[in-house]
Each structure stands twice: as structure tokens, then as C-alpha cells.
Amino acid sequence: MPFSTLPNFGLNRGGLPLRLGVLRLIAVLATLATFAQWIVPVVARGIFNAGRIYYSNEPSKLYESLLPWPVLSVPAWLTITTGLLAIGCACAYLLLGGLEISSDISFMFFAPSLAGVFPIFIAAFEKDPTGVIRTPGPDGYPIGWHWVVAPFILVLLVATLVATARMRRLRAERRRRRAQHVTPG
């Protein structure tokens, strides 16, 4: 079974109703936006802050920092918004879809779940004096509130399990109808 048979960047009008195509596209784009909130600062800090990406990292001894640290701080509200949007749209897609999403269930669990995992790494970029979670180790520091998205992966998991169970039931029902239609009598 393929990871997904649908193109990621489009409404997939040929295979999905419009509302499902919109939900899928928003989930994919919000997941990419959440991932970009991690990768763009990592690259920028690697280049402009002499390789010092996280607060606990030391600057490189090979070259000086070009700009004051930190370059590109990511606000928690942005990460929380994009992460919840990705997970929420994926849940709605999984719960509203019928047989047309059967080959897409694993993709729509895996991809948006990254929007719940990456906020943990984004939260650790810098110290946040209001943070309630600390990085591990004796030099641990409180991290930002970006991580709030992570527990919502459980909601996505439940939606995935419900969609999977519904697909089994719908496929069995379709096979039963075909068997009744083919059987004479």
C-alpha cells in the first residue's frame, strides 16, 4: 500500500470532494510552515551565529558570529497556530472522509504529526523565563511554550484509528454489496 496516492499540493478535485481537498491542502501547508519554523532558524543561525543554534551551543571557533545571537527567534503563538491548524485539519480530513481517503490515512497521520514534534525542538531554541519545561542536563534551561502543540498528536492518533476502523467497515460493506449483486438469485 502506498504512503499516499494523492499529490500534496493541490485540491485533488479528481479524487476528493472540495472540502476534503481544502482540508488536506491546509494540513500539508501548515505542516510545512511548522517545519520551516525550525529549519530556517537552524540554517540562519548556523550561518550568521557561527553555528550556535540552541542556547546551550557554543559558537564555532572557526569563524566569528556575523550578527548578534539569536538570529530569527520564532514566536510561540506562530508555532502553536500552524501546528494546531495542521493537526486540526488532518483530524477533520480523517474523520469526514470516506473510501476516497483510504490510501491517504498513513500520510495524513505521519505528515501532520511532524507539526506536533518539531515544536518541541523549536521551543528549545532559546531560554524562556516563563517556561515550565526545562532542557535535560545540569545546565538545562526553561524552554518556550511552542511545545504545547505536541500533546495534540494524541488527538490525531485517535482520529487516525477511527478512520482506519471506518475504512475496514466500509470496505467490508462494499465487498458484501458486490457479492450480493453478483450472486444470482
Side-chain angles (χ1 to χ4, degrees):
M1 180 174 204
F3 196 56
S4 178
T5 58
L6 298 173
N8 289 326
F9 304 106
L11 295 177
N12 296 297
R13 290 182 188 238
L16 294 175
L18 181 61
R19 68 180 175 159
L20 292 178
V22 168
L23 287 170
R24 186 180 193 284
L25 181 61
I26 292 171
V28 168
L29 293 176
T31 298
L32 289 174
T34 306
F35 177 69
Q37 292 171 45
W38 178 75
I39 195 69
V40 171
V42 165
V43 171
R45 288 177 181 195
I47 295 169
F48 297 115
N49 289 146
R52 183 179 181 195
I53 295 167
Y54 290 97
Y55 176 78
S56 57
N57 296 138
E58 294 293 324
S60 173
K61 304 235 187 297
L62 299 176
Y63 64 100
E64 293 292 319
S65 183
L66 302 173
L67 295 173
W69 190 87
V71 170
L72 290 179
S73 293
V74 180
W77 66 265
L78 180 62
T79 304
I80 293 168
T81 301
T82 58
L84 290 179
L85 188 61
I87 291 171
C89 286
C91 287
Y93 175 83
L94 291 168
L95 295 175
L96 294 174
L99 282 172
E100 66 270 4
I101 70 162
S102 64
S103 67
D104 206 28
I105 292 175
S106 59
F107 174 77
M108 287 307 288
F109 170 72
F110 177 72
S113 68
L114 293 176
V117 172
F118 276 101
I120 296 169
F121 300 109
I122 297 168
F125 274 147
E126 298 138 29
K127 278 186 178 183
D128 183 348
T130 66
V132 295
I133 294 180
R134 298 180 69 81
T135 57
D139 296 332
Y141 55 93
I143 64 174
W145 290 91
H146 309 72
W147 62 267
V148 168
V149 178
F152 287 92
I153 294 175
L154 296 175
V155 176
L156 181 59
L157 177 62
V158 169
T160 302
L161 294 174
V162 167
T164 302
R166 190 174 68 246
M167 286 310 127
R168 285 189 189 130
R169 183 180 49 79
L170 290 173
R171 284 184 185 138
E173 187 177 302
R174 183 173 64 180
R175 282 191 300 270
R176 190 172 37 255
R177 278 196 312 255
R178 284 182 181 166
Q180 287 174 349
H181 187 267
V182 171
T183 307

